[in-house]
Amino acid sequence: MPSHAQNTHLDDPLQRERDHLASSRAALRAMRADVESLDISDVTGNWVNAKILAGEIDSRIKALADLAGTPLFFGRLDYQHAPGVEVSEGADGESFYIGRRHVHDAGGDPMVIDWRAPVSQPFYRATRNDPQDVGLRRRFGYTGGDLTAYEDEHLTDPAEADTTSKLLQSEIERPRVGPMRDIVATIQPEQDEIVRAGANGTVCVQGGPGTGKTAVGLHRVAFLLYAHRERLARTGTLVIGPNKSFLQYIEQVLPALGELQVKQATVDDLVAHVEVRGTDSSLAARIKGDARMAEVLRRAVRSGIRREPAEPLVVVRGSRRWRLPVYELAEIIGEMADREIRYGAAHDALPQRIAHALLVQMERSGEAPDDRVQDAVARNSAVKALVKECWPPVDPAKTVLRLLSDPEFLARAADGLLTEDEQVAILWAKPARGLASAKWSAADAVLVDEARDLVQRTGSLGHVVLDEAQDLSPMQYRAVGRRCSTGSATVLGDLAQGTTPWATASWDEALTHLGKPEARIEELTRGFRVPRGVIAFASRLLPAIAPGLAPVVSVRESAGELEVREVKADGLDAAVIGACEESLAQEGSTGLIAADARIPALAAALGAAGIAYLAPGEETSAEARLTLVPASLAKGLEYDFVVLDDPAAIVEGEPDTRTGLRRLYVSLTRAVSALTVLHSAPLPAALT
């Protein structure tokens, strides 16, 4: 595979590619200037439309920004024939530059094709066995934003050797500084198949460390917004991550691809109907997260329904009295209860249903009532009183509060579902006297969200990406599933990295709780970020934490650096600081990962050594390239160099050994270039 580095001859192909890059950047500036010059003062009828249009124009201007240091295009395809034209017609081929967004010249002719366009797909999928009518695939290399090299693959030339692209390999292994980058230049065929999967189906991606599952999920959102923009603009898209640090780490990927409207949140953000001020024991949290709680809540919400009123309904209109007997009212209420429609919808519909029954009586007596009469009857005080008696309004938070504070109420709702011990475990030790004094836990907030949905349907989005999904409880899956009940989802995770007491046992089970049992499950096993030596070391833990899972196979040419150092207990802090200084002497980012309990001591040691450090998710800079990471927040993050402090402390910091080993597996697999492990206590047996 021929490569071509920098050459100063003006007639050199590299110079022509640079010229095209300069022309493309000029065209992009012109496109942005055209949008900035739009005058909308006379094209809208009112200020509301004007504001909406101005917002759309502002978003378009931002999307057309030429980001410094971000290559406008990264590849070129030379087709043997014009795309879409039968080969037998002998049409001349065309060349297309593949980039992060579409750019056209003043005449409307494309200068750069969006990577999501169908014509760009062979850039990711064409092979020598299946060239897809591509004669030449060219990759470009950049240094500091300047085009400095290119590399050609002649897919139809049998004389050319089939070798790995050096530019592709160097891009994959490039030092990682700052937040997560897009991977449009390095998407692999198996990843591209997931990225371009249709919008109507849900896809679940099982991927070990470094397989690119998070990037695949984000690029799938970008692709769906390109292919179904109008639909998703109407219904909305959402990316759900495990914590704020993770969301900060990935927040620049979609804007770099020109997508600015995608919202990001954690599961806690979705269910923030009450203020979380309390905590649960691991046992209580596991029970509250169990799928059985959905039925407990359903019973609690519907516990106030009285199928048979105490007396008949009498409605006075003018000089006449209209009467519905108890048995007929019981039939109406029973029908509403048996239909299992949402509690609030039934509460709102019941007055109209009763009024309709009275209107039937009126019609039989010779009257001709219309809809206005039915509405008036539905608002009658006697009808309102009966509805309040038989189908009283429900406050979701108050219902959950009562469930967790009143043993008798919980016992009735949980009968046959939760054991007596389980009921005791989830009851609050100090029952709250009201909503204002309630110390809700994170698991309680999910229960309130479930109760709210039982009363009133939760709005659904067009597409939801759920990352690090293996850590969700069944009730959390239900909360996410409500947000995409009429849309689709991309579920991303790794069963081996589940570190919660309720961690997912299987994707089939998780997808059932999510409400997407028909989702297709894809597995990514080729690693592109974690070096071979590092992933092989971490994979020693797999038999203990995920026996049925295949280990990740790293495709990186460099095995990476792995060093395990044993030091004396009283010298551990100093050894960790020394290892950090060694990593900082090299280009790239450094993550110091330690058990949560060790963070204060290490923070003090870094301060004493004069080493500036960041919190997880904060962007690295020339002044601070080291991030101090509690092991509980390491998931999803990556650093060029990782210094891992005392593995035994990470394992011991969890409620059980298996969870601790999974937390350690996560921590071991955050390194992109090198991993240094320092320990004073013996390493876990699985690692030795």
Side-chain angles (χ1 to χ4, degrees):
M1 184 183 302
S3 295
H4 307 269
Q6 185 168 349
N7 193 306
T8 58
H9 294 294
L10 295 180
D11 61 347
D12 186 80
L14 181 60
Q15 185 59 47
R16 290 199 295 270
E17 301 293 16
R18 288 171 172 164
D19 292 342
H20 186 79
L21 175 61
S23 300
S24 299
R25 289 197 183 280
L28 181 61
R29 289 194 296 270
M31 290 169 61
R32 180 168 177 155
D34 287 344
V35 179
E36 290 173 333
S37 65
L38 289 175
D39 183 2
I40 62 171
S41 57
D42 297 325
V43 298
T44 55
N46 55 64
W47 69 270
V48 176
N49 290 340
K51 190 170 184 179
I52 293 173
L53 182 57
E56 292 178 351
I57 290 175
D58 184 58
S59 295
R60 177 63 175 160
I61 291 171
K62 292 178 180 177
L64 290 172
D66 188 359
L67 302 177
T70 301
L72 198 55
F73 56 78
F74 46 81
R76 192 182 99 187
L77 291 177
D78 290 1
Y79 277 87
Q80 294 179 299
H81 304 84
V85 177
E86 292 293 335
V87 173
S88 60
E89 296 184 19
D92 292 334
E94 296 182 63
S95 294
F96 297 93
Y97 288 83
I98 313 302
R100 287 168 172 77
R101 66 202 65 197
H102 175 85
V103 179
H104 60 256
D105 61 19
D109 293 326
M111 301 187 71
V112 180
I113 300 293
D114 195 301
W115 66 276
R116 299 167 286 188
V119 75
S120 302
Q121 183 171 311
F123 183 79
Y124 302 107
R125 300 208 194 171
T127 64
R128 295 188 185 282
N129 293 331
D130 180 21
Q132 301 184 21
D133 204 33
V134 173
L136 171 73
R137 173 166 54 202
R138 175 169 289 179
R139 301 181 189 274
F140 296 106
Y142 289 83
T143 303
D146 295 327
L147 199 164
T148 55
Y150 68 88
E151 189 175 67
D152 288 341
E153 294 175 85
H154 296 88
L155 298 179
T156 56
D157 184 357
E160 186 173 298
D162 190 3
T163 58
T164 303
S165 165
K166 293 182 179 179
L167 288 179
L168 177 62
Q169 195 72 35
S170 64
E171 174 63 22
I172 289 174
E173 298 187 11
R174 181 157 58 97
R176 179 177 296 278
V177 177
M180 184 178 181
R181 304 188 300 259
D182 66 71
I183 61 167
V184 287
T186 61
I187 294 175
Q188 299 299 293
E190 65 272 23
Q191 296 174 327
D192 191 64
E193 289 183 13
I194 298 171
V195 167
R196 297 177 191 267
N200 295 326
T202 290
V203 179
C204 175
V205 183
Q206 158 64 40
T211 56
K213 57 184 178 295
T214 296
V216 166
L218 295 175
H219 287 67
R220 175 160 161 73
V221 170
F223 173 78
L224 293 177
L225 287 169
Y226 175 88
H228 308 279
R229 188 167 301 280
E230 184 175 341
R231 168 181 158 188
L232 291 180
R234 183 175 65 254
T235 56
T237 54
L238 175 68
V239 174
I240 301 174
N243 52 58
K244 296 292 186 183
S245 298
F246 178 83
L247 293 178
Q248 288 177 335
Y249 176 63
I250 68 170
E251 66 182 356
Q252 295 304 317
V253 174
L254 288 170
L257 299 174
E259 301 299 343
L260 307 171
Q261 304 303 318
V262 179
K263 296 181 179 179
Q264 297 182 345
T266 64
V267 173
D268 290 342
D269 294 332
L270 299 183
V271 300
H273 312 299
V274 293
E275 183 183 358
V276 174
R277 296 186 297 159
T279 57
D280 283 315
S281 67
S282 60
L283 174 61
R286 182 181 57 77
I287 298 169
K288 290 177 181 179
D290 193 288
R292 293 173 294 168
M293 288 302 300
E295 176 60 20
V296 173
L297 287 165
R298 191 195 71 83
R299 293 179 183 179
V301 166
R302 301 175 72 84
S303 62
I305 297 176
R306 183 172 180 177
R307 285 177 173 258
E308 186 173 299
E311 56 187 27
L313 170 69
V314 178
V315 173
V316 179
R317 281 188 57 80
S319 61
R320 302 201 60 175
R321 294 161 61 89
W322 304 96
R323 181 177 181 276
L324 278 180
V326 169
Y327 79 87
E328 191 169 347
L329 290 168
E331 287 179 0
I332 294 172
I333 296 168
E335 179 190 353
M336 298 290 286
D338 294 340
R339 286 172 60 190
E340 291 292 334
I341 62 176
R342 278 175 171 74
Y343 189 93
H347 176 272
D348 296 340
L350 187 55
Q352 289 289 337
R353 183 68 183 82
I354 293 171
H356 175 74
L358 289 171
L359 256 67
V360 171
Q361 286 189 15
M362 295 177 188
E363 290 171 347
R364 288 173 180 167
S365 68
E367 295 191 11
D370 56 17
D371 291 344
R372 290 175 296 178
V373 175
Q374 180 169 327
D375 290 340
V377 173
R379 295 193 300 270
N380 184 274
S381 58
V383 174
K384 288 182 178 180
L386 184 138
V387 171
K388 185 176 181 180
E389 173 197 353
C390 296
W391 207 288
V394 165
D395 182 294
K398 288 181 179 178
T399 300
V400 177
L401 179 68
R402 183 184 174 193
L403 197 67
L404 300 176
S405 303
D406 184 341
E408 293 183 0
F409 185 56
L410 175 60
R412 289 194 298 272
D415 183 38
L417 295 171
L418 302 181
T419 66
E420 291 185 7
D421 289 343
E422 288 176 322
Q423 293 174 36
V424 171
I426 65 173
L427 280 167
W428 286 349
K430 294 183 179 180
R433 296 181 179 179
L435 292 177
S437 61
K439 290 188 176 182
W440 303 99
S441 69
D444 296 336
V446 179
L447 299 182
V448 174
D449 188 73
E450 178 84 21
R452 283 171 62 94
D453 187 70
L454 289 166
V455 175
Q456 203 70 42
R457 182 184 296 276
T458 304
S460 176
L461 298 164
H463 193 79
V464 169
V465 174
L466 175 61
D467 204 354
E468 300 296 348
Q470 73 280 343
D471 278 334
L472 268 61
S473 70
M475 294 300 289
Q476 287 175 318
Y477 278 119
R478 291 175 61 87
V480 174
R482 289 191 280 277
R483 271 74 185 182
C484 57
S485 58
T486 60
S488 57
T490 302
V491 181
L492 312 166
D494 179 12
L495 297 179
Q497 296 186 57
T499 51
T500 56
W502 48 83
T504 301
S506 74
W507 289 122
D508 287 334
E509 178 185 338
L511 292 167
T512 299
H513 294 314
L514 190 69
K516 306 291 183 182
E518 76 292 344
R520 108 178 188 232
I521 301 175
E522 300 283 352
E523 187 171 5
L524 297 176
T525 57
R526 297 176 70 217
F528 304 98
R529 298 301 298 169
V530 185
R532 286 200 304 269
V534 174
I535 194 65
F537 181 67
S539 293
R540 296 180 186 178
L541 296 173
L542 285 179
I545 61 176
L549 215 57
V552 171
V553 178
S554 178
V555 300
R556 295 183 55 167
E557 292 183 352
S558 169
E561 295 181 14
L562 170 66
E563 187 172 0
V564 181
R565 304 176 189 171
E566 183 175 4
V567 297
K568 294 182 179 180
D570 58 1
L572 182 59
D573 288 0
V576 168
I577 297 303
C580 290
E581 290 174 335
E582 292 172 12
S583 297
L584 291 171
Q586 305 176 70
E587 180 187 3
S589 57
T590 295
L592 170 54
I593 303 177
D596 291 29
R598 284 274 293 153
I599 294 299
L602 292 176
L606 289 170
I611 300 176
Y613 64 90
L614 306 165
E618 292 183 336
E619 187 171 349
T620 55
S621 64
E623 292 75 26
R625 290 188 292 115
L626 184 141
T627 304
L628 180 57
V629 187
S632 62
L633 296 181
K635 195 169 298 179
L637 306 179
E638 288 181 346
Y639 303 93
D640 289 298
F641 305 96
V642 166
V643 176
L644 185 67
D645 170 83
D646 203 2
I650 293 176
V651 176
E652 292 167 2
E654 299 297 327
D656 59 81
T657 300
R658 187 178 187 186
T659 302
L661 290 175
R662 286 184 168 185
R663 184 76 72 190
L664 178 58
Y665 179 75
V666 171
S667 301
L668 287 169
T669 53
R670 302 304 96 199
V672 173
S673 297
L675 169 66
T676 301
V677 179
L678 297 108
H679 68 101
S680 55
L683 292 175
L687 282 182
T688 58

